[in-house]
Amino acid sequence: MELSQRARIRAGDRACFGAVFDEHAPAVYRYAVRVTADRAGAEDVVSLTFLEAWRLRARLRPDGGSLLPWLYGIATNVLRNTARSARRHQAALSRMPAADRVPDFADDLVGRLADADALAAARAALSRLRPAERDVFTLCVWEGLDYAAAAEALGVPVGTVRSRLSRARTRLRAYTNGREPAGRTGQVQGGRADAARSTREIG
């Protein structure tokens, strides 16, 4: 009997893993760009995600459907780690003496992209969410995962995904209306259609 894709990856089949990379790397890259607003940095996130996936292949569940939720979960952890490293790096730079400023032509080029301002604005709004809420929002709304797939990616119950997404929508609406959210909110009725409307509000 032919082995499943998951079984082949668990067994260390490099050709099969290469096919998984070809299929899912664009989605992981898109996710990383939306979270970081940095295309070059997103390429590094993709590389690190698949290196980590190969390292952790023995932990992959032998049963299940698409591998994308598993990869999104790894990418989420990579993004958290790289964000922490970036903060430490920035803190170290802030302690150094000021140097003469040199024009950054890369920044100028990025600034010409049609969606750069919208992406930066969305990321600024999302950065005000709690990390757990931000992870759920980006996976369910931007990447289109359903509650079950997002729960698999993040290793939490489906009910937790629903409540975090509800709180994220409430907070984002408050931020985009120019006010601070009034503490933690309870679960709000509604699904991904409401969440998508929140995305348009910040996009």
Side-chain angles (χ1 to χ4, degrees), residues 8-33:
R8 291 170 63 192
I9 290 174
R10 283 168 56 89
D13 187 326
R14 293 178 181 272
C16 182
F17 191 76
V20 169
F21 178 89
D22 291 340
E23 181 180 1
H24 295 307
V28 175
Y29 173 76
R30 183 183 64 224
Y31 173 47
V33 167

Side-chain angles (χ1 to χ4, degrees), residues 132-178:
E133 296 168 356
R134 183 168 59 247
D135 293 342
V136 167
F137 188 90
T138 53
L139 288 174
C140 288
V141 178
W142 276 354
E143 301 310 317
L145 295 191
D146 59 24
Y147 294 133
E152 179 185 348
L154 299 173
V156 298
V158 171
T160 300
V161 170
R162 290 178 181 271
S163 61
R164 287 178 182 175
L165 182 57
S166 174
R167 288 196 298 271
R169 290 201 311 265
T170 300
R171 290 176 183 277
L172 286 172
R173 288 192 183 103
Y175 291 142
T176 55
N177 289 331

Side-chain angles (χ1 to χ4, degrees), residues 49-50 101 185:
T49 295
F50 280 90
R101 183 169 181 82
T185 60

Side-chain angles (χ1 to χ4, degrees), residues 13-162:
D13 187 326
R14 293 178 181 272
C16 182
F17 191 76
V20 169
F21 178 89
D22 291 340
E23 181 180 1
H24 295 307
V28 175
Y29 173 76
R30 183 183 64 224
Y31 173 47
V33 167
R34 286 172 164 171
V35 172
T36 64
D38 179 357
R39 286 169 172 75
E43 292 177 357
D44 293 338
V45 170
V46 172
S47 298
L48 290 170
T49 295
F50 280 90
L51 284 171
E52 189 69 358
W54 179 255
R55 187 179 72 84
L56 298 174
R57 63 189 182 278
R59 300 184 190 178
L60 177 63
R61 286 170 42 192
D63 59 322
S66 170
L67 294 175
L68 193 54
W70 178 61
L71 293 169
Y72 276 143
I74 295 172
T76 298
N77 288 330
V78 169
L79 286 162
R80 288 174 181 164
N81 291 337
T82 54
R84 281 195 293 268
S85 297
R87 287 194 295 270
R88 287 194 295 267
H89 178 67
Q90 189 60 42
L93 289 178
S94 68
R95 294 191 292 269
M96 297 178 63
D100 293 337
R101 183 169 181 82
V102 177
D104 189 337
F105 298 105
D107 284 348
D108 181 60
L109 178 62
V110 171
R112 296 175 190 173
L113 296 174
D115 62 346
D117 289 342
L119 187 60
R123 184 170 181 265
L126 289 173
S127 69
R128 302 179 70 182
L129 295 177
R130 294 168 181 165
E133 296 168 356
R134 183 168 59 247
D135 293 342
V136 167
F137 188 90
T138 53
L139 288 174
C140 288
V141 178
W142 276 354
E143 301 310 317
L145 295 191
D146 59 24
Y147 294 133
E152 179 185 348
L154 299 173
V156 298
V158 171
T160 300
V161 170
R162 290 178 181 271

